[in-house]
């Protein structure tokens, strides 16, 4: 432990800077470690939340062992497997190098293609086979017994043997004449496959004999989907025009035709539970249900997905339809009504558009609220997907929609949420979330417990202009009031329980420009607002009076308040960050380094770190006490939002053109991390976004922990600087109670002597060994041995006294001091008591001990030991010191030395206490 003597002066901010140590070894080690480190030292990719599906069709499998259906959906570089019965997540596959472009499955393996390579996964997780041979991107896969068929965009078809990974057959098609767009293995057609093309024709091949059996001329429209019908020889063919052709391939006869006006057919499926119904998907998100007996449309499932239907599958002999789409949703529909219309049974859904804002909700760090451009507000759990919930779309008139029963609510939906604030203090009593919408003046309230939009739309009544919008919101820590800033410069306060307007800041408006941020402290005493004109204003929350105003160097873009510490962060338009103390209302830190607009900021729970995300694709961590940049890493996509968990374990981020929330684990919680400042010329490396699988993050964490090893190997010297008072590393029990040993011994003295047992057991002594033998009694062979105790042995001097005598000659006391450090409190008292001439010592030894104490004070090392040893020495030998002139002179010099050091240290302590009070 080191206490600075000269660096406690000049504390002019609430963050005192640490002492500038002059150790050249420390600086060199830090510089070398900074040069080696390129990735993040504080954050490691953990996993992604809110990703359930994309535009790749799902795959349904049946497990004969467990008698259950499983559905597999693609999420970027990995895929999820869900149990259809409860739609619970069963497994997450290992990641592949590129995004998955198509999938297929048989009873044992799942096949996923990425680029010109595809792999086979066992147990829904591990890669067991990899197939390489295509030169173009693979877009079709078809399991074929012990073989797998793959087709690339150049219309090259390759048949592989699964277990040997060998190429069985390769067919090359001229893509200008026959570009393969769909593939099907017709039921009961041994060794045969049916190929559909973008030109409209179809071909039936025997892959064993490598012969073209028949060419179907088609309907002069591109084939988009092929599906086997429940009847043998009958195939459903989806076309680009929206037509579905039910065709008998054995007799080349068209049985029936259907047409949908929603664009090309994306996927087809048939019910096999006794109802002759066919479902066809469309790019609009609608599903058409066709009766094959009456040859007519019996129902329409409009807006089943907000984007194109990527895949739909009826479960075998069950009235369940599984659908997925690029809107990041997986849904299961059940057909149990009399009209044949499907109703939503179970679903897993995330955001269908990029996110606009994310914030942790609550103090346990287990829920993340997120708003998206799709207009929804959702909550994602960091623990398990079953705790996810959607608060739904904001509706302009919720009662009207319920009263009239509108099916299409697109016209009455609110615009996307741009910013929101949440507080759980009164969530069980009334709404606890306030949100402002894009291009809207009114702000909506939301109820987290009820998972729906709230009862009020908060807006000032006197506003008549249509171009005024809400730009900033905040909710007080008590959950009673909401503060809303408008683009006109007005800042209003509303009651969350009643929705009543409770006043405005300023006479006409709080700012001349648009309000960029509002914040209320933890005690509802102070309100901070900032506007585009470059002013930061402090208001009294109760009477709405302006207290103070601060001019900023540039217009603010983002404002964030850490309520526990009273620290305010401001991101300015000149890409710099200013940190203010709301008590002193002064700028205490300024940071610069971003090369793009700062999108969001987040404080660590203890308020020591400020994390900023900018359009330059970087996330930077600033250490507020030292005022230095301690971490920086780049991403392949610009971060839009950052939020730190209240428990400090995760950092959540959202990014441009990404639908998920990405979690980064805080390495400092489970590993030793050196928070050394980064040099000015530090060049960060690009870190990949974490996937939905957690196994890939182990490699990242190993790389990030590596730079801190150099700081662990660095051995700190015993004293960093001669001007620093250095304490010993001994525990307090070795020196703190030296003056009270007599009291401790008196308390520990037994109340009564030990009692002899009435009948002590008799044991015959034995010699240890494999064979037990009795020990013979010891015989005294020296008849001349005297029973008188030799006093010369008792008067022998200890090693400590001998080292003190040597110290008088060579003036070295390190060995004597080490002997004293190794002794316990009782041993130290015995050694110091034996220094007096009455106990076997001498005046010279006592003089040597005082010189040793003087040496310790001169070096400013072991400061507390020198004080404790000297105090015990004076307690034991104070009466004899005046009678010895040598000792009196030595103790006089020592007294002035102690008083000088302690007076200087005490003055610095007092100065530090006064600065803290101010």
């Amino acid at each position: 432990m080191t206490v600075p003597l000269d660096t406690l002066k000049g504390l002019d901010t609430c963050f005192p800077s640490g002492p500038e140590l002059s150790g050249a070894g420390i600086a060199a080690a830090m510089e070398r470690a900074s040069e080696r480190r390129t990735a993040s030292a504080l954050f490691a990719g953990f996993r992604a939340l809110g990703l359930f599906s994309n535009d790749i069709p799902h795959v349904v499998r049946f497990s004969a062992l467990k008698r259950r259906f499983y559905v597999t959906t693609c999420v970027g570089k990995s895929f999820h497997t869900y149990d259809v019965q409860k739609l619970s997540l069963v497994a997450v596959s290992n990641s592949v190098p590129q995004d998955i472009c198509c999938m297929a499955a048989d009873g044992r393996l799942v096949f996923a293609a990425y680029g010109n390579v595809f792999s086979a996964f066992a147990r829904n997780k591990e890669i067991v086979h990899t197939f390489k041979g295509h030169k173009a991107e693979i877009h079709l896969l078809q399991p074929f017994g012990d073989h797998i068929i793959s087709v690339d965009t150049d219309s090259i078809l390759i048949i592989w043997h699964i277990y040997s990974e060998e190429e069985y057959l390769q067919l090359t098609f001229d893509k200008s004449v026959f570009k393969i767009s769909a593939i099907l293995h017709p039921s009961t057609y041994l060794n045969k496959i049916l190929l559909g093309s973008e030109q409209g024709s179809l071909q039936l091949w025997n892959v064993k004999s490598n012969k073209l059996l028949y060419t179907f001329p088609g309907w002069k429209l591109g084939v988009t989907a092929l599906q086997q019908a429940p009847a043998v020889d009958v195939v459903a063919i989806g076309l680009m025009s929206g037509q579905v052709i039910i065709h008998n391939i054995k007799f080349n006869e068209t049985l029936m035709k259907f047409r949908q006006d929603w664009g090309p057919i994306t996927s087809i499926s048939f019910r096999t539970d006794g109802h002759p119904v066919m479902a066809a998907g469309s790019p609009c998100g609608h599903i058409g249900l066709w009766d094959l007996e009456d040859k007519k449309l019996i129902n329409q499932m409009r807006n089943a997905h907000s984007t194109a239907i990527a895949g739909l599958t009826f479960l075998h002999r069950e009235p369940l339809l599984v659908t997925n789409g690029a809107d990041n949703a997986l849904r299961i529909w059940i057909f149990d009504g009399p009209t044949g219309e499907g109703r939503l049974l179970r679903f897993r859904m995330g955001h269908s558009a990029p996110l606009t804002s994310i914030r942790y909700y609550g103090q346990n760090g287990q829920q993340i609220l997120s708003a998206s451009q799709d207009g929804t507000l959702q909550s994602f759990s960091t623990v398990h997907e079953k705790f996810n919930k959607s608060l739904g779309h904001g509706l302009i008139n919720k009662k009207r929609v319920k009263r009239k029963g509108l099916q299409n609510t697109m016209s009455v939906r609110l615009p996307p949420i741009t910013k929101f604030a949440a507080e759980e203090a009164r969530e069980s009593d009334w709404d606890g979330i306030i949100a402002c919408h894009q291009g809207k003046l009114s702000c909506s309230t939301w109820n987290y417990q009820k998972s729906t939009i709230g009862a009020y739309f908060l807006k000032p009544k006197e506003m008549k202009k249509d171009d005024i919008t809400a730009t900033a919101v905040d909710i007080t820590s008590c959950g009673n009031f909401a503060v809303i800033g408008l683009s006109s410069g007005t800042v209003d306060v509303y009651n969350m329980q009643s929705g009543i307007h409770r006043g405005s800041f300023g006479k006409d408006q709080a700012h001349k420009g648009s309000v960029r941020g509002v914040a209320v402290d933890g005690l509802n005493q102070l309100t901070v607002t900032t506007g585009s004109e470059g002013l930061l204003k402090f208001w009294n929350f109760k009477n709405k009076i302006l207290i103070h105003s601060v001019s900023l160097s540039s217009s603010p873009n983002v404002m964030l308040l850490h309520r526990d510490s009273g620290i305010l962060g401001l991101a300015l338009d000149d890409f710099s960050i200013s940190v203010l103390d709301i008590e002193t209302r002064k700028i205490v830190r300024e940071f610069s380094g971003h090369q793009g607009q700062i999108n969001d900021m987040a404080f660590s729970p203890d308020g020591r770190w400020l994390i900023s995300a900018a359009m330059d694709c970087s996330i930077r961590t600033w250490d507020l006490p030292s005022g230095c940049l301690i971490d920086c890493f780049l991403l392949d996509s610009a971060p839009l939002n950052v939020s730190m968990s209240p428990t400090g374990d995760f950092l959540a981020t959202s990014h441009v053109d990404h639908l998920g929330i990405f979690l980064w684990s805080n390495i400092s919680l489970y590993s030793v991390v050196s928070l050394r400042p980064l040099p000015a010329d530090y060049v960060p490396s690009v870190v990949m976004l974490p996937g939905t699988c957690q196994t890939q993050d182990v490699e990242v964490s190993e790389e990030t922990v590596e730079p801190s090893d150099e700081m662990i190997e660095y051995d700190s010297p015993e004293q960093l600087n001669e001007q620093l008072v250095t304490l010993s590393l001994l525990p307090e029990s070795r020196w703190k109670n030296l003056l009270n040993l007599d009291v401790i011994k008196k308390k520990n003295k037994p109340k009564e002597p030990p009692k002899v047992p009435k009948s002590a057991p008799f044991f015959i002594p034995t010699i240890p060994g494999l064979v037990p033998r009795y020990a013979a009694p010891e015989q005294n062979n020296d008849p001349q041995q005297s029973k008188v105790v030799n006093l010369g042995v008792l008067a022998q001097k200890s090693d400590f006294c001998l080292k003190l005598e040597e110290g008088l000659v060579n003036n070295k006391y390190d060995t004597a001091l080490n002997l004293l450090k190794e002794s316990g409190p009782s041993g130290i008292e015995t050694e110091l008591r034996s220094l007096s001439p009455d106990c076997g010592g001498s005046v010279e030894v006592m003089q040597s001990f005082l010189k040793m104490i003087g040496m310790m004070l001169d070096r400013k090392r072991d400061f507390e030991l020198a004080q404790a040893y000297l105090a015990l020495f004076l307690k034991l030998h104070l009466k004899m010191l005046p009678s010895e002139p040598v000792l009196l002179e030595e103790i006089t010099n020592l007294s002035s030395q102690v008083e000088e050091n302690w007076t200087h240290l005490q003055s610095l302590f007092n100065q530090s206490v006064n600065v803290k009070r101010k």
Side-chain angles (χ1 to χ4, degrees):
M1 181 178 178
T2 302
V3 178
L5 288 178
D6 298 331
T7 58
L8 294 176
K9 299 179 180 181
L11 299 179
D12 54 352
T13 65
C14 63
F15 292 116
S17 300
E20 295 182 1
L21 306 180
S22 59
I26 299 178
M30 290 172 57
E31 184 177 357
R32 290 194 302 269
S34 298
E35 291 176 356
R36 289 178 52 194
R37 194 183 89 187
T38 55
S40 175
L42 288 180
F43 300 106
F46 183 63
R47 66 187 181 102
L49 299 178
L51 296 177
F52 301 97
S53 174
N54 59 8
D55 58 341
I56 305 301
H58 66 265
V59 176
V60 174
R61 304 168 60 204
F62 179 75
S63 174
L65 179 63
K66 297 184 178 180
R67 306 293 298 175
R68 286 185 179 182
F69 286 98
Y70 294 93
V71 57
T72 301
T73 61
C74 175
V75 284
K77 298 180 180 179
S78 60
F79 58 83
H80 293 181
T81 302
Y82 296 91
D83 183 0
V84 175
Q85 185 175 0
K86 294 184 178 180
L87 210 58
S88 57
L89 184 63
V90 175
V92 178
S93 73
N94 294 336
S95 297
V96 294
Q98 302 178 38
D99 289 340
I100 297 175
C101 49
C102 66
M103 290 194 308
D106 58 12
R108 295 159 294 179
L109 302 173
V110 176
F111 302 93
Y114 47 96
N116 57 358
V117 180
F118 72 98
S119 300
F121 292 78
R123 295 176 291 276
N124 300 313
K125 188 177 183 68
E126 303 168 355
I127 297 177
V128 292
H129 301 289
T130 301
F131 304 89
K132 300 180 180 179
H134 285 280
K135 296 182 180 179
E137 181 178 300
I138 301 171
H139 73 108
L140 291 174
L141 290 175
Q142 175 64 48
F144 198 70
D146 290 338
H147 297 77
I148 178 75
I149 303 173
S150 60
V151 182
D152 60 23
T153 55
D154 291 338
S155 291
I156 296 178
L157 185 147
I158 302 179
I159 302 177
W160 311 80
H161 190 275
I162 295 177
Y163 300 101
S164 65
E165 301 180 10
E166 296 178 352
E167 183 178 317
Y168 174 77
L169 177 66
Q170 179 172 334
L171 300 176
T172 303
F173 297 86
D174 185 1
K175 63 180 181 179
S176 62
V177 178
F178 191 87
K179 185 175 183 180
I180 303 175
S181 59
I183 184 172
L184 175 69
H185 169 50
S187 179
T188 70
Y189 279 56
L190 187 64
N191 300 324
K192 298 175 181 64
I193 58 173
L194 180 65
L195 303 177
S197 67
E198 292 184 0
Q199 287 77 13
S201 60
L202 293 91
Q203 294 183 4
L204 184 65
W205 282 79
N206 187 320
V207 295
K208 185 175 183 180
S209 60
N210 192 13
K211 291 182 179 180
L212 175 62
L213 301 181
Y214 191 78
T215 300
F216 301 91
W219 296 265
K220 298 181 180 180
L221 294 169
V223 178
T224 58
L226 292 175
Q227 181 63 36
Q228 174 69 50
V232 180
D233 302 324
V234 179
V235 174
I237 304 169
L239 303 179
M240 287 290 295
S241 62
Q243 284 183 305
V244 180
I245 310 297
I246 308 299
H247 196 76
N248 189 311
I249 59 176
K250 182 176 182 180
F251 302 104
N252 191 17
E253 179 183 355
T254 299
L255 303 181
M256 58 189 76
K257 293 183 179 181
F258 303 105
R259 183 181 180 86
Q260 297 181 171
D261 296 331
W262 300 324
I265 301 298
T266 57
S267 54
I268 304 172
S269 184
F270 292 89
R271 287 184 67 173
T272 55
D273 60 338
H275 294 77
V277 176
M278 179 190 69
S282 67
C284 303
H286 309 323
I287 299 175
L289 300 175
W290 302 86
D291 191 323
L292 299 179
E293 287 185 352
D294 298 337
K295 299 180 181 181
K296 66 179 182 179
L297 180 69
I298 59 173
N299 221 317
Q300 299 180 15
M301 298 173 59
R302 288 185 172 270
N303 300 313
H305 289 268
S306 60
T307 59
I309 304 294
L312 55 86
T313 306
F314 277 107
L315 298 186
H316 185 60
R317 294 184 179 179
E318 291 191 21
L320 298 178
L321 175 65
V322 181
T323 64
N324 79 297
D327 58 350
N328 195 19
L330 173 66
R331 294 183 170 95
I332 297 180
W333 311 81
I334 184 170
F335 294 83
D336 54 356
T339 60
E341 182 181 1
R343 64 177 179 88
L344 187 61
L345 180 64
R346 286 180 289 270
F347 66 92
R348 286 286 181 266
M349 181 181 66
H351 288 292
S352 60
L355 280 65
T356 58
S357 181
I358 62 171
R359 285 293 179 268
Y360 269 93
Y361 183 78
Q363 297 301 319
N364 56 7
Q366 296 180 357
Q367 297 291 335
I368 301 177
L369 280 175
S370 63
S372 169
Q373 294 178 8
D374 59 7
T376 61
L377 183 64
Q378 299 192 31
S379 173
F380 295 98
S381 172
T382 60
V383 179
H384 197 276
E385 288 182 350
K386 66 181 180 181
F387 300 115
N388 295 353
K389 63 180 182 178
S390 174
L391 280 69
H393 287 270
L395 300 177
I396 297 176
N397 194 330
K398 185 178 179 181
K399 294 182 179 179
R400 176 173 172 267
V401 173
K402 284 187 175 181
R403 184 172 63 251
K404 294 189 175 183
L406 297 178
Q407 297 295 328
N408 187 8
T409 60
M410 296 297 293
S411 59
V412 294
R413 286 182 178 178
L414 289 171
I417 296 174
T418 55
K419 293 181 181 179
F420 67 86
E423 180 58 50
E424 65 171 355
R426 305 301 294 268
E427 65 173 2
S428 59
D429 300 324
W430 51 75
D431 302 338
I433 304 173
I434 180 74
C436 56
H437 299 262
Q438 181 180 348
K440 294 285 290 185
L441 172 62
S442 58
C443 293
S444 59
T445 60
W446 299 73
N447 194 298
Y448 184 81
Q449 282 193 344
K450 297 180 180 179
S451 301
T452 182
I453 191 171
Y456 304 109
F457 286 94
L458 307 180
K459 67 176 180 178
K461 296 181 180 180
E462 61 274 7
M463 289 291 179
K464 297 182 180 180
K465 296 182 180 180
D466 296 335
D467 57 345
I468 299 177
T469 60
T471 56
V473 291
D474 193 21
I475 188 170
T476 57
S477 58
C478 61
N480 292 320
F481 299 98
V483 183
I484 302 175
L486 306 180
S487 59
S488 61
T490 305
V491 179
D492 300 303
V493 180
Y494 297 87
N495 186 282
M496 290 294 293
Q497 181 182 8
S498 62
I500 299 176
H501 185 264
R502 294 300 185 186
S504 302
F505 293 96
K507 294 182 179 180
D508 297 329
Q509 54 186 12
H511 293 271
K512 295 181 180 180
S514 175
V515 178
R516 297 288 180 85
V518 293
V520 184
D521 67 345
L523 301 177
N524 292 1
Q525 300 293 322
L526 198 65
T527 303
V528 186
T529 64
T530 182
S532 59
E533 76 278 7
L535 288 179
L536 179 70
K537 295 184 178 182
F538 298 85
W539 309 80
N540 186 292
F541 180 80
K542 186 175 182 180
N543 54 29
K544 313 295 187 298
I545 297 176
L546 180 63
I547 300 175
H548 187 69
S549 180
V550 177
S551 296
L552 303 175
S553 59
S554 180
S555 297
N557 183 39
V558 180
M559 188 178 76
L560 182 65
L561 174 65
H562 188 262
R563 286 175 174 169
D564 294 340
S565 62
I567 300 302
L568 184 73
L570 283 169
L572 307 181
D573 286 343
D574 60 357
F575 311 151
S576 65
I577 299 175
S578 298
V579 181
L580 291 90
D581 182 3
I582 63 173
E583 293 185 3
T584 61
R585 305 182 187 93
K586 294 182 179 179
I587 296 178
V588 295
R589 290 290 183 269
E590 289 184 346
F591 303 115
S592 61
H594 280 293
Q595 304 299 322
Q597 175 185 323
I598 300 174
N599 295 324
D600 200 5
M601 297 185 298
F603 282 103
S604 61
D606 56 2
R608 292 183 61 90
W609 297 347
L610 177 61
I611 305 165
S612 59
M615 289 302 294
D616 58 1
C617 298
S618 69
I619 294 180
R620 298 172 182 257
T621 303
W622 313 88
D623 187 64
L624 296 183
S626 63
C628 298
L629 175 66
I630 57 174
D631 187 67
C632 177
F633 62 98
L634 297 177
L635 299 159
D636 54 0
S637 180
L640 291 178
N641 299 278
V642 290
S643 182
M644 192 72 177
S645 169
T647 56
D649 49 358
F650 291 111
L651 175 71
T653 63
S654 66
H655 301 264
V656 174
D657 296 333
H658 283 78
L659 307 181
I661 299 174
F662 300 91
L663 294 182
W664 308 80
S665 59
N666 187 355
I667 301 177
S668 64
L669 294 184
Y670 55 84
S671 178
V672 179
V673 176
S674 175
L675 303 180
R676 52 183 174 270
L678 297 180
D681 56 348
Y682 175 75
V683 179
S685 62
V686 178
V687 179
M688 301 302 296
L689 290 174
T692 54
C693 180
Q694 300 179 16
T695 55
Q696 66 178 3
D697 304 324
V698 178
E699 301 177 358
V700 180
S701 60
E702 291 177 355
E703 295 177 0
T704 53
V705 173
E706 181 180 350
S708 62
D709 295 341
E710 187 168 352
M711 298 303 295
I712 300 173
E713 297 173 357
Y714 173 74
D715 295 329
S716 177
E718 295 183 2
Q719 189 173 18
L720 298 177
N721 194 283
E722 296 180 356
Q723 297 181 354
L724 304 179
V725 170
T726 304
L727 306 181
S728 68
L729 299 178
L730 294 181
E732 292 184 350
S733 59
R734 293 285 191 92
W735 56 270
K736 193 173 184 179
N737 297 318
L738 288 178
L739 297 179
N740 302 320
L741 281 180
D742 50 350
V743 179
I744 296 174
K745 289 180 180 179
K746 187 176 181 181
K747 288 183 178 180
N748 296 337
K749 184 178 180 180
K751 296 181 179 180
E752 56 184 10
K755 296 180 180 180
V756 180
K758 295 181 180 180
S759 58
F762 175 75
F763 296 99
I764 300 177
T766 58
I767 298 175
L770 297 177
V771 180
R773 292 182 299 170
Y774 296 109
E778 296 182 359
Q779 297 181 357
N780 189 4
N781 298 327
D782 188 8
Q784 303 296 330
Q785 183 178 4
S786 174
K787 296 183 179 180
V788 179
V789 178
N790 187 2
L791 296 178
V793 177
L794 295 178
Q796 185 178 3
K797 295 181 180 180
S798 65
D799 293 339
F800 178 66
C801 290
L802 296 176
K803 296 302 179 182
L804 288 179
E805 290 179 353
E806 294 178 3
L808 285 175
V809 180
N810 54 20
N811 200 23
K812 295 181 180 179
Y813 298 97
D814 293 336
T815 307
L817 180 60
N818 291 332
L819 291 175
L820 214 56
K821 286 183 179 180
E822 296 173 358
S823 303
S826 299
I828 294 173
E829 185 194 27
T830 303
E831 293 288 358
L832 296 189
R833 193 181 293 274
S834 64
L835 297 180
S836 64
D838 298 337
C839 298
S842 61
V843 176
E844 290 77 12
V845 176
M846 298 177 69
Q847 180 185 6
S848 178
F849 177 80
L850 294 177
K851 287 186 176 182
M852 183 188 72
I853 300 297
M855 178 269 297
M856 295 170 66
L857 295 176
D858 286 338
R859 294 182 179 179
K860 294 184 176 62
R861 287 168 55 182
D862 303 322
F863 189 76
E864 82 281 17
L865 295 184
Q867 303 287 339
Y869 294 161
L870 181 59
L872 181 59
F873 180 84
L874 294 178
K875 178 182 178 180
L876 298 176
H877 308 296
L878 183 61
K879 294 182 179 180
M880 69 168 295
L881 291 181
S883 60
E884 299 292 339
V886 179
L887 298 180
L888 185 60
E889 180 182 359
E890 195 70 36
I891 201 66
T892 303
N893 297 335
L894 197 60
S895 175
S896 60
Q897 189 177 0
V898 172
E899 184 177 0
E900 179 183 356
N901 287 341
W902 183 250
T903 302
H904 181 58
L905 193 60
Q906 185 68 33
S907 63
L908 294 176
F909 286 155
N910 294 335
Q911 182 182 2
S912 179
V913 171
N914 292 334
V915 171
K916 185 177 181 181
R917 288 176 180 174
K918 292 179 181 179

